[in-house]
């Protein structure tokens, strides 16, 4: 993963700017950590309620272009959906990617 992009993602997760949600990239103003990644990588909010199981090519392309693998996306999304807060997710991302 591009280290500059990773730093921006970690900073965004720690910023308090994004309210954490579960199960969707963005729903009702709440972001999954992957939704935050999409936002900082593309400069726009995800425009669909992607749950990781769809075949939306635009979302998958943005995530993979940002350096995330399918396994990485799934693992990080699962941690988010289990209720792990953004600050802890940011630490995991910083250490593991």
């Amino acid at each position: 993963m591009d280290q500059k992009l990773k730093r921006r993602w970690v900073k965004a997760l720690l910023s308090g700017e994004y309210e954490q949600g579960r199960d969707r990239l963005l729903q009702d103003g709440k972001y999954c950590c992957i939704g935050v990644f999409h936002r900082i990588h593309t400069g726009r909010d995800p425009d669909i309620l992607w749950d990781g199981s769809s075949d939306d090519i635009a979302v998958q392309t943005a995530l993979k272009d940002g350096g995330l693998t399918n396994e990485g996306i799934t693992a990080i999304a699962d941690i988010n959906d289990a209720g792990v807060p953004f600050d802890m997710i940011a630490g995991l991302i910083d250490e593991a990617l």
Side-chain angles (χ1 to χ4, degrees):
M1 161 168 247
D2 177 77
Q3 294 302 298
K4 184 176 177 182
L5 180 58
K6 180 180 86 170
R7 286 190 300 275
R8 289 179 46 222
W9 187 16
V10 167
K11 183 178 178 181
L13 290 173
L14 295 173
S15 72
E17 180 181 341
Y18 301 93
E19 186 176 355
Q20 188 170 5
R22 296 183 183 169
D23 301 320
R24 303 284 187 230
L25 293 179
L26 173 62
Q27 186 172 21
D28 299 327
K30 296 179 182 180
Y31 291 80
C32 168
C33 61
I34 301 296
V36 174
F37 177 85
H38 186 279
R39 172 82 174 116
I40 61 116
H41 178 55
T42 66
R44 58 181 172 75
D45 284 333
D47 56 0
I48 61 167
L49 300 176
W50 190 67
D51 63 2
S53 63
S54 77
D55 291 326
D56 186 277
I57 301 302
V59 170
Q60 289 183 6
T61 299
L63 297 176
K64 289 178 183 175
D65 284 351
L68 292 178
T69 63
N70 284 338
E71 296 81 15
I73 294 166
T74 300
I76 295 168
D78 287 347
I79 291 168
N80 181 92
D81 294 347
V84 176
F86 277 170
D87 62 334
M88 293 182 75
I89 294 171
L92 292 170
I93 291 166
D94 199 34
E95 290 178 18
L97 297 178

